[in-house]
């Protein structure tokens, strides 16, 4: 599953955004922040939930409405720690790897 996660920039960007936010984000917030269409967000969240990279938190509100927030899971946080190490190592080796490739890797964010 890690290889599939690494192969989808949007999945990584969503994980990074959830970590940066520190709390939870709703579907629409992710859609707007990432500038993705609803089907892209839905596909990413299904993958991330299935792999336990993110979790869902339901919040009841007045009027029998339930809000759903997505939060970074323990597995997602552990992956991002490893990913940060990888990005740092790539930055140190940019002369060998190529500055364009390293810049693309470093630019992954919300």
């Amino acid at each position: 599953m890690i290889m599939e996660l690494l192969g989808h920039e949007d999945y990584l960007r969503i994980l990074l955004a959830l970590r940066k936010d520190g709390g939870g984000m709703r579907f629409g917030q992710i859609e707007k922040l990432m500038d993705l269409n609803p089907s892209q967000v839905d596909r990413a969240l299904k993958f991330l939930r299935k792999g336990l990279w993110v979790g869902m938190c339901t919040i009841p509100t007045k009027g029998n409405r339930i809000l759903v927030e997505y939060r970074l899971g323990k597995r997602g946080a552990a992956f991002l720690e490893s990913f940060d190490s990888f990005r740092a190592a790539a930055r140190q080796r940019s002369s060998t790897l190529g500055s364009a490739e390293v810049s693309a890797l470093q630019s992954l964010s919300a």
Side-chain angles (χ1 to χ4, degrees), residues 76-102:
F79 169 80
L80 288 179
E81 286 180 32
S82 298
F83 188 67
D84 289 342
S85 297
F86 174 73
R87 290 200 303 182
R91 188 174 39 249
Q92 292 174 346
R93 293 166 182 81
S94 65
S95 62
T96 304
L97 295 171
S99 60
E101 289 81 4
V102 174

Side-chain angles (χ1 to χ4, degrees), residues 7 13 21-22 24 26-27 29 32 39 43 45-48 60 65 73 77-78 84 100-102 110:
R13 290 177 58 224
D21 184 71
R26 297 184 52 211
F27 187 97
Q29 292 172 307
K32 190 177 285 185
S39 63
R43 181 176 34 249
L45 290 173
K46 282 181 182 176
F47 172 84
L48 294 170
R65 199 171 138 198
D84 289 342
E101 289 81 4
V102 174

Side-chain angles (χ1 to χ4, degrees), residues 19-88:
R19 176 175 67 179
K20 183 178 181 180
D21 184 71
M25 293 179 73
R26 297 184 52 211
F27 187 97
Q29 292 172 307
I30 295 169
E31 181 182 359
K32 190 177 285 185
L33 181 66
M34 301 288 127
D35 194 27
L36 299 171
N37 67 49
S39 63
Q40 290 171 303
V41 176
D42 184 57
R43 181 176 34 249
L45 290 173
K46 282 181 182 176
F47 172 84
L48 294 170
R49 283 192 338 260
K50 181 180 176 185
L52 303 177
W53 307 105
V54 300
M56 289 175 40
C57 180
T58 57
I59 304 165
T61 64
K62 293 180 182 178
N64 295 329
R65 199 171 138 198
I66 297 177
L67 300 177
V68 176
E69 287 188 341
Y70 298 91
R71 298 177 185 215
L72 188 63
K74 289 180 183 179
R75 190 171 189 207
F79 169 80
L80 288 179
E81 286 180 32
S82 298
F83 188 67
D84 289 342
S85 297
F86 174 73
R87 290 200 303 182

